[in-house]
Amino acid sequence: MISKRFEYHTPHSVEQAVGLLAEKNGEAVVLGGGTWVVPDMTHGTITPGHVVDLRRAGLDGIEAEAGGLRIGATATYTQILESELVRERAPALHALAVGITGGAQLRNQATMGGGVCYALPSADPHGALVALGARYRLASKGGVREVDAESFYTGVQQSVLQPGELLTDIIVPEQPAGSRQGYYKFKLCESSWPIVTACAVVVVDGSGTVTSARVAVGGASETPYLVDTAGIVGATLGPEQAAVVAAAAEAACARPYGDPLASGEYRKMIAGAIAKRALLAAAG
């Protein structure tokens, strides 16, 4: 039960939404799917005077955009799962949506944009979006700016999102020709939140030689991070190269993240194994 009274707003456009946020001057919280915000309000962790619900603001589309793919901030995981555009252009996000903890009920309600803004380190999308080189489109009364996913996160539930700003779109750029994507998530059990996630985007030529590789890890550190893959570019992908990436993934975990599900030491220890599985999944 939410004990503190609040005023509820349902803007019908981005302009109305950012106008409300500017007017309420830090007293409002933005609601996407509500799977993070509503529990926090119920527990009294946050007590906003105003709730700005984006469900009618026209931000749930998934569309091709010049040079990439645009996923609206309020697109649910079910919409992502059912999108042929996502399946074709960002299959790692399709794989991510399949395994969202909470099953169909959460997939139908939760939004990827909400997870991005909540910035909990172990949430599903962060590592995948960093690996894909995604950009986040942020709107405010002052205009629109784009921030790359890797730079967006600054700490546990902290980001560069400023007061009065809201996420409108996730932009996934076109991936290298011939690239393959792999996503892997480790959980303690089917109903638990992720412990560590990893995503890989790899291009392997006809001889099995890696021509480019981009691997990112989420959940192990306070912020998602890219792994140094220089050691495998130009080599034939095999167990030796996978071990190089695994070692790099563990070494790059500079600020291990711990919570009641797993300690930071444990997350860092398994980061390499999860990155390796994502890489091998991408390479087929």
Side-chain angles (χ1 to χ4, degrees), residues 9-31:
H9 308 269
T10 55
H12 287 74
S13 68
V14 171
E15 291 74 19
Q16 287 183 9
V18 296
L20 279 166
L21 292 179
E23 178 187 331
K24 303 312 175 186
N25 193 27
E27 295 181 3
V29 67
V30 175
L31 185 73

Side-chain angles (χ1 to χ4, degrees), residues 233-278:
V233 174
T236 301
L237 186 59
E240 217 175 285
Q241 287 68 42
V244 168
V245 169
E250 183 176 346
C253 184
R255 294 185 291 167
Y257 167 68
D259 67 6
L261 288 178
S263 69
E265 291 78 9
Y266 178 71
R267 291 174 192 266
K268 179 174 182 175
M269 182 181 70
I270 67 170
I274 306 308
K276 176 181 176 179
R277 293 184 186 188

Side-chain angles (χ1 to χ4, degrees), residues 178-239:
S179 64
R180 300 175 180 179
Q181 300 173 22
Y183 177 81
Y184 194 89
K185 172 171 60 175
F186 174 71
K187 303 193 294 185
L188 298 179
C189 62
E190 184 57 34
S191 61
S192 83
W193 296 110
I195 302 302
V196 175
T197 68
C199 181
V201 181
V202 183
V203 180
V204 181
D205 66 17
S207 67
T209 300
V210 178
T211 58
S212 72
R214 189 175 168 97
V215 179
V217 174
S221 185
E222 292 183 359
T223 58
Y225 60 90
L226 283 169
V227 177
D228 183 1
T229 58
I232 68 169
V233 174
T236 301
L237 186 59

